[in-house]
Amino acid sequence: MLQGIPITSVLIVSAFMFFAGVCGFIIRRNMITILMSIELILNAVNINMVVFNKFLFPDQLQGQFFALFIVGIAAAEASVAIALVINIYRRLNSISVDKVNEMKY
Amino acid sequence: MALNVLMFYLLSAVIVICSVLTITTTRILRAAFYLLCVLVATAGFYFMVDYQFMAGVQLVLYAGGIVVLIIFSILLTSHISHKFAKPEASRLIMGVLVGVSGFALSTAAILKFTFTPTTNPAMKVDMQAIGLQLLGTGKNGYVLPFEVISILLLAAMIGAIIIAKKGK
Amino acid sequence: MNYSLTILILLIPFATFLFNGLFGMKLKPIISGLIGTIGLGVITLLSYLTAWQYFFVDGMVNGTFPKIIAMSMDWLHFTDFLTVRIGIMLDPISVMMLVVITTVSFMVHIYSLGYMEGEKGFQRFYAFLSLFSFSMLGLVVATNIFQMYIFWELVGVSSFLLIGFYYTKDSAVAASKKAFIVTRFADLGFLIGILLLSFFTKTFDFKTLTGSDQSIFANAAGVNFMGISVMTWAAILIFMGGAGKSAMFPLHIWLPDAMEGPTPVSALIHAATMVVAGVYLVARMFPVFYFQAPEALNVVAYVGGFTSLFAAVIACTQYDIKRVLAFSTLSQLGYMMLALGVSGYGGEEGVGYMASMFHLFTHAMFKALLFLGAGSIIHAVHSNVMQDMGGLRKYLPITHATFLIACLTIAGVPFLSGFFSKDEILVAAFHHDKLLFAVEFLVAGLTAFYMFRLYFNIFWGKEKHYHHTPHESPKTMTIPLMILAFGSIFAGYIPFHKLVTSDGMPFESHMNFAIAIPSVLIGLIGITVAWVLYKKETTIPERISKGLGGFYTAVFHKFYFDEIYLFITKKIIFNYISRPVAWFDRHIVDGTMNGIGWLTVTSSKKIRNLQSGNLPQYGLVFVLGAIILVLVFAFII
């Protein structure tokens, strides 16, 4: 409990965000939207990290650092993913995931 | 109702609504905008819990960097006026089913679990403390992951350039 | 004394086989033939040396001829009990067989240089001859029954290859298959017999099996199957193998057909050496038969006796000269089997054993001579059939003389080798069983009759119209004839009763005039009858055959045994066993395999769709799986 806000409500919000991301990942076909869904997922995790740090272990910084590193990884992932998307677009003239199944079997 | 609680609910509402919109809107640029809203609201959360540095990073890197990158790629690959076709029913149903069941499961777990905060006195979180610990080599020092992330970023940068550059 | 050189007796023919088989086609035929012949000449010498050393230099130890293991090595080591050794054992019969085989084989090698000249596959022929010599020698020197079995099969293979030498001729191919299948069938019994025997005695070794220590058979005591002791079964089954190789009565059908092979092959394999392997086998296992399975020995005697009569009767009606000789071989093999069957063990009792080996020796000489002579005749007139021949004595003087000697020998004319050996057999039979003696006595007469029927038909009678004037064969063919004729005359003077006996101890043998004189007389009667009937072309034989009517037809068709077997195999076995088995194989066995293949392919095609390459689907499956796992762990476990 922090200033009237219970930890569970924050976690529920982040869980909602997480599964909204998962849901988006599954139902969308546009690669960039899928990428955005992944950002949602990562962000939800970040919130959890920070919230655990603040609400449960205010004497440490671990949660924050994890969140920081996740942000870094997300940045790296996003840059590579976008490069891939651009490359795919150039080759297939489409960024639908349904088209990108050349290597299925 | 205390202001900060009100603020919390406001931010929560933004996050919930915008994340839903992000994955349901048929216009991709709007999706990016809704994502931006979610990320900014998240930064608001960080401010609320008094982690100004995290909030700054969130704003600068996520809201500033990544979203801008995404918008760039959208502009490179899509027409602004382009609308998505609705996802087919089977996929929609499965996706919603998975999302709802996963959320229900997580919520059930969260509500069931008793969180016990530590009794240690809170640490003062300022830039100096963060900087010292992040680059520290001693106990609680994070210099090794820091360096690993640096190399990862470098590699990702080079990889992105190689992948995205036009073939011969 | 060491016999380390004996290993060469096996290695040289094997080497020449490999050499001629692999490189022969690149050589001139005559060189390939000479290589084989010289190799055989060398081992012939070696065999003579070995025999000389064994019998006369080393001689007896404590009054018996010892069984010497000249070489032995572990070939297949499975367990301490089950070890297959390969080696060389020298004892009187194996040394005697070495001499017989190498002599006849050497003669055949020389003879073939002339007979096979210009044939396609001359080198192949010599390669096969070497292979045969190798396997036959390996068979006789075997130290254990398993080695014998291996070489036994090798001999069967070489026989198969040589019968089917003219592989473009359908009849030769059919004959080779027939020979192989019939002997294989018999070998099945042999193998079961070996397994039974060695299961109870825990040894393959001849030395142990035939030694004086009878305690190894203790395990088998009291074990019965269908009222007959297991050792008798084993002995009968082993004899079945021997009967197959030696073409004893129910399994005799392959030997007459085997005459499709080149005549030297018939002389070597189907008269002198391979077919006596069965006799040799029984002789080798004789103590086991005698002490453990006397009933089996009776079976041997009666089968031998019946075969000799049966074959002699058929031989009287055949026109193909090689077939007459083939049936004569059957008949003589029956003699040898019978002699073993009536033999006792040790000393004078073992006269049958000695007689059998003696007859084997002399028979090898005169039957090889007969076949080679027949080959020489065929070479001259290009026909196998008696009706195409007549009055040949003018054209083929050497062949005529040697053939006559062989005929006289087989007819049992005194002072030729056949007389002595046959006499010993008759003596043995007389002491054991009067019925068998009577049969053999009759067969002696029949033998003389059919051999001289053959002789007069070929060399006397009216001259036929020949395509070209028959001419005497080349030296390479006549010299072996002369050598073998020499052997046929004088082989009888070898004192077998001093050398080759059932227990290795010599005994005194006396001419039994009470038996010898009647047997000579019946031989002479046979010759006289043949003289009367066939010296001049007359119609008497025809009238006799007409008078005999149905019996003659039956005999002429070899009592329809081929037809009966064909009926059994084609109509019964093929229809009621092979066809269902084939159906089972095609539909159930193959069907199962095809079904497995089909199932794999089809299911793979279905499964392939799982790997759609569709990322959201993967994500869906992944998250769904995670949720299910959480549910499982949280609520079920």
Side-chain angles (χ1 to χ4, degrees), chain C residues 57-69:
Chain C
V57 177
D58 290 2
M60 287 175 278
V61 176
N62 300 331
T64 55
F65 284 107
K67 288 185 166 67
I68 297 170
I69 306 286

Side-chain angles (χ1 to χ4, degrees), chain C residues 39-187:
Chain C
L40 233 113
V42 171
I43 63 165
T44 308
L45 269 181
L46 275 173
S47 302
Y48 287 174
L49 276 177
T50 309
W52 173 257
Q53 195 170 11
Y54 182 82
F55 283 122
F56 302 113
V57 177
D58 290 2
M60 287 175 278
V61 176
N62 300 331
T64 55
F65 284 107
K67 288 185 166 67
I68 297 170
I69 306 286
M71 188 209 81
S72 179
M73 61 177 218
D74 285 4
W75 186 48
L76 293 173
H77 186 96
F78 297 110
T79 64
D80 283 340
F81 270 133
L82 187 59
T83 301
V84 179
R85 290 195 184 80
I86 212 154
I88 293 175
M89 182 165 86
L90 298 174
D91 72 339
I93 55 172
S94 72
V95 172
M96 178 206 79
M97 287 300 284
L98 284 184
V99 172
V100 172
I101 294 161
T102 52
T103 309
V104 177
S105 186
F106 186 45
M107 291 306 128
V108 167
H109 270 78
I110 297 175
Y111 182 87
S112 302
L113 288 175
Y115 186 84
M116 298 297 287
E117 197 179 357
E119 292 275 0
K120 194 169 165 289
F122 188 83
Q123 299 95 324
R124 181 161 57 91
F125 181 78
Y126 270 93
F128 289 163
L129 277 189
S130 296
L131 174 64
F132 172 77
S133 306
F134 160 68
S135 8
M136 191 68 207
L137 292 165
L139 192 159
V140 296
V141 298
T143 57
N144 60 72
I145 197 161
F146 215 89
Q147 182 191 352
M148 193 170 187
Y149 183 73
I150 293 162
F151 282 100
W152 186 272
E153 294 299 341
L154 270 175
V155 166
V157 168
S158 10
S159 156
F160 166 79
L161 292 170
L162 282 166
I163 296 170
F165 179 74
Y166 299 117
Y167 56 84
T168 48
K169 243 168 82 187
D170 284 345
S171 57
V173 172
S176 66
K177 277 196 288 193
K178 188 173 180 181
F180 196 65
I181 292 168
V182 172
T183 48
R184 262 314 290 149
F185 173 72
D187 295 346

Side-chain angles (χ1 to χ4, degrees), chain A residues 21-93:
Chain A
V22 169
C23 195
F25 185 89
I26 290 166
I27 66 176
R28 304 314 296 253
R29 271 180 302 179
N30 187 304
M31 281 184 159
I32 294 174
T33 328
I34 287 175
L35 189 59
M36 287 192 257
S37 307
I38 294 171
E39 299 300 343
L40 278 180
I41 293 170
L42 288 171
N43 210 53
V45 174
N46 263 356
I47 292 180
N48 273 17
M49 291 290 177
V50 171
V51 165
F52 284 139
N53 188 345
K54 181 69 189 175
F55 283 57
L56 303 182
F57 303 101
D59 57 333
Q60 290 170 11
L61 287 174
Q62 262 87 333
Q64 266 201 79
F65 286 151
F66 265 99
L68 267 178
F69 291 137
I70 288 168
V71 170
I73 288 166
E77 168 253 313
S79 63
V80 173
I82 282 164
L84 282 170
V85 167
I86 289 170
N87 205 346
I88 287 166
Y89 179 76
R90 212 181 274 145
R91 281 166 196 262
L92 304 177
N93 208 18

Side-chain angles (χ1 to χ4, degrees), chain C residues 487-542:
Chain C
S488 303
I489 298 171
F490 295 105
Y493 295 100
I494 296 173
F496 258 65
H497 53 89
K498 291 221 166 53
L499 303 176
V500 181
T501 55
S502 53
D503 55 356
M505 282 187 250
F507 63 91
E508 283 305 314
S509 164
H510 308 285
M511 187 62 41
N512 192 333
F513 288 104
I515 290 167
I517 293 170
S519 77
V520 169
L521 283 179
I522 194 165
L524 291 176
I525 290 169
I527 296 172
T528 319
V529 172
W531 176 295
V532 170
L533 292 179
Y534 298 103
K535 171 103 192 308
K536 295 261 161 39
E537 297 255 321
T538 59
T539 50
I540 307 169
E542 243 174 84

Side-chain angles (χ1 to χ4, degrees), chain B residues 64-129:
Chain B
I66 293 174
V67 171
V68 168
L69 207 56
I70 285 174
I71 289 171
F72 256 131
S73 64
I74 289 169
L75 294 179
L76 274 172
T77 57
S78 312
H79 291 289
I80 302 290
S81 58
H82 181 253
K83 274 192 177 179
F84 301 130
K86 285 275 175 207
E88 60 255 51
S90 65
R91 197 185 264 189
L92 190 66
I93 290 168
M94 284 312 289
V96 171
L97 187 72
V98 165
V100 169
S101 58
F103 178 64
L105 199 63
S106 307
T107 313
I110 290 165
L111 292 175
K112 210 174 160 192
F113 191 76
T114 333
F115 294 96
T116 43
T118 178
T119 47
N120 295 350
M123 181 178 180
K124 175 130 176 61
V125 183
D126 56 3
M127 281 309 293
Q128 199 182 6

